[in-house]
Amino acid sequence: ATAVTAAGGWSTPWRRYPHASTHASISSRARVSRVDHGQPDPKGEALASWLRTHRGFDELGVRVRFMGEARGFAGIAVDGVEEGDLLVRVPRSAMLTAEDARSCPIVGDVASQVSDTAALALKLLAERDAADGSAWHAWIATLPTWEAVRETHPLAWSRERRERALRGSPTLTRLDAMVASCVEDHQSITAALSSRGGGTPAPRVEDVTWARAMISSRAFYLASDDRDGDGDGDDDGDDEWWPDPADSGRGLDDGDEFEAFGGVDAARLDDGYHHHDSAGAFVALVPWADALNHSPDADERSLLSLTRDDETGAVVAELRASAAYAPGDEVHDSYGVGLSRADSFLRYGFVDVSESCGGGGGCEDRVDVSGEIFLRELLGVDEPTEPLFARLDAVGLGPGETCVTVTAYGVGESALAWCEMAASAASGEEFDGDFDGDFEDECVAALSRVCEAMAAGYPEQHAAAVGYERGEEWACGEDAAALVLASELRALTGFVEWAKKRKGRKLRRMNE
């Protein structure tokens, strides 16, 4: 799917309905990993024992097991699981949310003064620091340490490491925005603690970054799947504060999405999203569910959503199996169907390199083109006149807020529609709604020139890696970053070729 998104974020910031864990564990494909499920795992057993004290929890024949330092924890089938079977059920009482932070007697007064993201980070840090005095101690013991996060999650990388790994890529801009938002959260927490008085020490920047990495990689946007038509109002979605792109984009001829902008890297759960959301949706850390690793083969059945347990009445989060599992198989959820390499890298710190995630597969090669850069190229000016875009600005789709997603196979209808609307506004003409009108060819040509210029800015070592895929099923660190750049470069060069062929076809038709 190609999309219009806003410039600093991504279209599906949380585990799409169920996002996923990014702990030091990395994704693996369905039924590839097999363990001796009869061997006890002390931390996994402690987590299950704690969750059994919550009404509504059900292990459903799954156990959480440690898979080694490189992969962290995972869900393992103890009994056979059929496709479509219920795989996870975790009650609301075991989760952590920004609302929990604000009602907490320890940090509630501070959490009430900061953003939802900062509030949730503060609550997580308070529970971590309480050690075995925390009700969530058994779960927190399964989370990666700061040392592990610093190696695997780009949010914790130094500026030098970020630039070295991502130079030339728009993904670097997105990552820098994420890092800046962590600093802002740290500053807001420090200021709120200072105003409270009492000498409570503020958390370090590293602490807030760790907590934000946990939220970025493990938090779920929870709403009702409404499968039973019970009208909870908790409609399952995939952005933390914007409408579900699946609702706004579905129905376009090319299946692309026209999305408002948001994202974990935009760093605010509460820019338009509030814990008193009339729909009842909220962002939560969900113990047990976050242990499941991603499979690119998992479909929307493996996306976490809210429901109410008929027997106990407890509000619970559930997901189902997208595949059958034998005893000992690792079970999976989906961190997002069709997740791009850049999004996977930024949110979770890994990139899937399996066949279903290679250009044209489960995570199509694609790259975001800045709306401002596109218009500069289209109009041949350094700075487009802002008043021309008042209508687009009014709905959050001004050039400074918008990116156009392109792939090696072209640009989606909704993305091209935005280009035409912006071009029409810049020309002073009234856009008549004809998405195949006078501006289409000019827009495609301008996008092609921008893509060609962007491709030329990629480091040579990454240009040489275009089309290269590692033999492993996943990569992290600099290997993951290199695959992100290679994927983006394939999208850029492929789009330029697509635009040339499109122009050639039109010329041939004109001459016939």
Side-chain angles (χ1 to χ4, degrees):
T2 47
V4 174
T5 58
W10 47 59
S11 53
T12 51
W14 311 103
R15 298 191 184 182
R16 188 180 173 93
Y17 316 115
H19 283 333
S21 47
T22 161
H23 38 7
S25 68
I26 309 299
S27 75
S28 69
R29 301 288 300 282
R31 298 193 300 278
V32 167
S33 300
R34 178 72 59 86
V35 302
D36 182 358
H37 57 281
Q39 292 297 319
D41 181 285
K43 290 185 177 179
E45 290 300 320
L47 176 60
S49 179
W50 168 66
L51 284 167
R52 291 186 198 111
T53 67
H54 293 262
R55 187 178 64 168
F57 173 70
D58 194 332
E59 294 169 79
L60 297 167
V62 174
R63 298 290 185 270
V64 169
R65 294 288 182 265
F66 186 65
M67 304 293 284
E69 292 296 334
R71 299 195 56 242
F73 288 83
I76 304 298
V78 175
D79 304 318
V81 177
E82 296 299 322
E83 182 178 347
D85 281 357
L86 198 60
L87 198 60
V88 169
R89 176 183 287 157
V90 180
R92 168 67 181 88
S93 59
M95 303 176 195
L96 279 180
T97 69
E99 188 170 6
D100 295 330
R102 294 189 172 109
S103 62
C104 173
I106 305 300
V107 300
D109 56 341
V110 175
S112 298
Q113 301 178 53
V114 298
S115 72
D116 283 4
T117 316
L120 184 53
L122 184 64
K123 175 64 172 174
L124 177 58
L125 289 171
E127 298 297 337
R128 185 194 69 174
D129 293 345
D132 56 6
S134 167
W136 283 268
H137 174 65
W139 167 65
I140 292 173
T142 68
L143 301 183
T145 63
W146 165 247
E147 289 72 24
V149 168
R150 188 168 52 189
E151 290 302 314
T152 60
H153 203 292
L155 188 60
W157 289 6
S158 67
R159 174 66 187 177
E160 293 74 19
R161 188 179 179 188
R162 298 196 303 270
E163 289 184 338
R164 185 172 61 250
L166 295 168
R167 182 167 57 89
S169 168
T171 300
L172 176 59
T173 301
R174 295 174 60 185
L175 180 53
D176 284 345
M178 292 171 63
V179 173
S181 70
C182 285
V183 175
E184 291 175 7
D185 278 353
H186 175 259
Q187 292 172 341
S188 67
I189 291 171
T190 300
L193 283 168
S194 177
S195 67
R196 181 175 71 172
T200 303
R204 301 171 302 166
V205 174
E206 291 83 356
D207 294 324
V208 174
T209 300
W210 174 85
R212 281 289 306 275
M214 296 301 97
I215 295 169
S216 169
S217 60
R218 307 181 82 94
F220 295 79
Y221 181 91
L222 291 177
S224 172
D225 61 6
D226 206 24
R227 278 192 290 256
D228 300 324
D230 56 7
D232 285 10
D234 294 339
D235 192 36
D236 203 47
D238 54 299
D239 283 328
E240 75 272 47
W241 64 82
W242 287 93
D244 183 0
D247 292 337
S248 58
R250 195 160 292 157
L252 295 171
D253 290 343
D254 61 355
D256 65 350
E257 297 173 349
F258 189 68
E259 301 170 6
F261 171 51
V264 170
D265 54 351
R268 303 281 179 202
L269 278 71
D270 57 345
D271 287 355
Y273 165 84
H274 301 282
H275 56 282
H276 298 301
D277 189 322
S278 60
F282 56 92
V283 173
L285 291 163
V286 186
W288 192 266
D290 68 348
L292 269 63
N293 289 314
H294 172 68
S295 169
D297 298 327
D299 58 32
E300 292 191 359
R301 291 173 294 180
S302 295
L303 297 172
L304 202 68
S305 60
L306 285 180
T307 188
R308 189 176 294 276
D309 187 281
D310 292 335
E311 295 183 3
T312 67
V315 175
V316 295
E318 297 180 343
L319 65 83
R320 295 183 178 272
S322 292
Y325 299 97
D329 284 348
E330 180 179 355
V331 302
H332 299 85
D333 69 354
S334 171
Y335 290 13
V337 178
L339 190 68
S340 75
R341 281 194 167 109
D343 288 349
S344 176
F345 172 72
L346 289 172
R347 298 175 202 169
Y348 311 119
F350 73 85
V351 168
D352 193 312
V353 297
S354 58
E355 289 182 2
S356 64
C357 200
C363 53
E364 183 180 38
D365 294 324
R366 55 187 185 262
V367 68
D368 291 336
V369 174
S370 162
E372 285 186 329
I373 294 176
F374 158 72
L375 282 173
R376 289 173 193 164
E377 180 62 36
L378 180 71
L379 303 176
V381 298
D382 291 334
E383 292 295 335
T385 306
E386 290 185 5
L388 294 174
F389 307 105
R391 291 185 179 179
L392 291 173
D393 288 331
V395 294
L397 289 172
E401 302 170 287
T402 305
C403 284
V404 176
T405 302
V406 301
T407 78
Y409 305 101
V411 58
E413 181 178 313
S414 64
L416 188 56
W418 180 88
C419 293
E420 292 191 70
M421 286 188 288
S424 175
S427 70
E429 298 181 20
E430 188 69 26
F431 184 60
D432 61 6
D434 180 8
F435 293 167
D436 295 315
D438 296 335
F439 293 108
E440 181 178 303
D441 291 343
E442 289 84 352
C443 289
V444 171
L447 281 172
S448 179
R449 293 193 298 271
V450 170
C451 288
E452 191 168 13
M454 289 175 65
Y458 278 63
E460 291 183 4
Q461 61 267 34
H462 295 298
V466 175
Y468 170 77
E469 301 290 353
R470 298 183 63 89
E472 296 88 349
E473 293 176 353
W474 51 263
C476 58
E478 279 73 4
D479 287 343
L483 288 172
V484 169
L485 267 63
S487 176
E488 292 174 346
L489 194 49
R490 281 195 300 271
L492 292 169
T493 56
F495 181 85
V496 172
E497 290 302 313
W498 171 85
K500 289 178 180 177
K501 292 178 181 178
R502 175 184 180 276
K503 181 178 180 180
R505 287 193 299 269
K506 297 195 73 168
L507 289 174
R508 286 193 296 273
R509 286 197 296 267
M510 292 174 60
N511 293 329
E512 290 177 353

